[in-house]
Amino acid sequence: IDTRFIEESYRLMKEGSALYLFTRWDVYPEWIEAVKSANFTIKNLIVWDRIMHGLGDLKGAYAPQHDFCIFATKGRHILRGNRPKDVLRYQRPSPVDLLHPTQKPIKLIRHLIKNSSDKGMFVLDPYMGSGTTAAACKQLERDFIGFEIDNEYVEKANERLRQCNLKNFFT
């Protein structure tokens, strides 16, 4: 896995900011080490219960129904609202609705954004994929900066944002 963006994210983020990093169970130790090495403080390992399971080895492994999300901070971060739980239940998008293989439900991303930012603040997403974070930011009146290197997903994210009456933010 390529963890180089984590140090750059730490450099760019303001004191008191939060990092949410989704990962699979089999590589999360590498991500934990990279997050710690960049000087973030790891606060929780959040579990996203996708409600519906994924594929994988259909006969030789348990059906994967969850992902991990590393929650870390740069300095002291204060969560908004009531104290959230570290198990989040949001149904993953239906396979027919997926624009990206690791797409998250917009309700899940909205929940995380609301817990860690206020209107007018910036949200950074270094792996924009289908633009879920950007769409959630616009719904919640946050600004965003996002990066995506795969032109196929840049096109899909731009189309999604056009449907939200937004101009192209990805090039």
Side-chain angles (χ1 to χ4, degrees):
I1 60 176
D2 187 355
T3 62
R4 293 176 292 180
F5 80 92
I6 294 175
E7 286 184 20
E8 188 66 9
S9 295
Y10 186 86
R11 186 185 71 78
L12 293 171
M13 290 168 60
K14 291 181 178 180
E15 190 72 16
S17 295
L19 170 78
Y20 291 93
L21 193 151
F22 285 90
T23 181
R24 297 184 323 260
W25 67 271
D26 59 330
V27 293
Y28 90 89
E30 294 172 59
W31 287 113
I32 291 278
E33 185 56 38
V35 169
K36 285 181 183 177
S37 294
N39 293 317
F40 283 100
T41 301
I42 296 176
K43 304 298 280 187
N44 291 95
L45 184 61
I46 298 168
V47 175
W48 168 36
D49 176 355
R50 300 181 294 190
I51 301 172
M52 295 171 41
H53 66 79
L55 296 175
D57 182 349
L58 299 178
K59 300 222 183 249
Y62 289 84
Q65 188 170 308
H66 76 281
D67 284 338
F68 289 146
C69 179
I70 299 167
F71 171 57
T73 63
K74 179 177 180 176
R76 178 80 170 134
H77 176 72
I78 304 299
L79 292 165
R80 280 66 169 171
N82 295 328
R83 187 177 189 201
K85 295 178 175 59
D86 66 357
V87 176
L88 305 176
R89 294 191 55 145
Y90 290 92
Q91 187 163 332
R92 69 185 286 262
S94 165
V96 297
D97 295 327
L98 284 178
L99 301 173
H100 187 278
T102 62
Q103 183 174 329
K104 310 298 182 282
I106 197 162
K107 288 181 179 182
L108 169 63
I109 300 304
R110 284 173 49 99
H111 175 77
L112 299 175
I113 290 170
K114 285 193 301 188
N115 286 346
S116 289
S117 67
D118 301 312
K119 289 181 182 181
M121 293 178 81
F122 273 94
V123 173
L124 170 65
D125 187 347
Y127 293 95
M128 288 298 291
S130 65
T132 301
T133 299
C137 284
K138 288 303 160 189
Q139 290 175 2
L140 296 171
E141 299 178 49
R142 273 61 165 183
D143 293 313
F144 69 92
I145 299 170
F147 303 96
E148 177 56 54
I149 62 171
D150 188 318
N151 285 333
E152 176 186 352
Y153 297 117
V154 169
E155 302 269 334
K156 289 179 180 184
N158 277 327
E159 179 57 32
R160 186 176 191 179
L161 293 176
R162 276 192 288 277
Q163 291 175 7
C164 295
N165 297 319
L166 302 174
K167 64 181 183 177
N168 289 352
F169 286 94
F170 306 95
T171 57

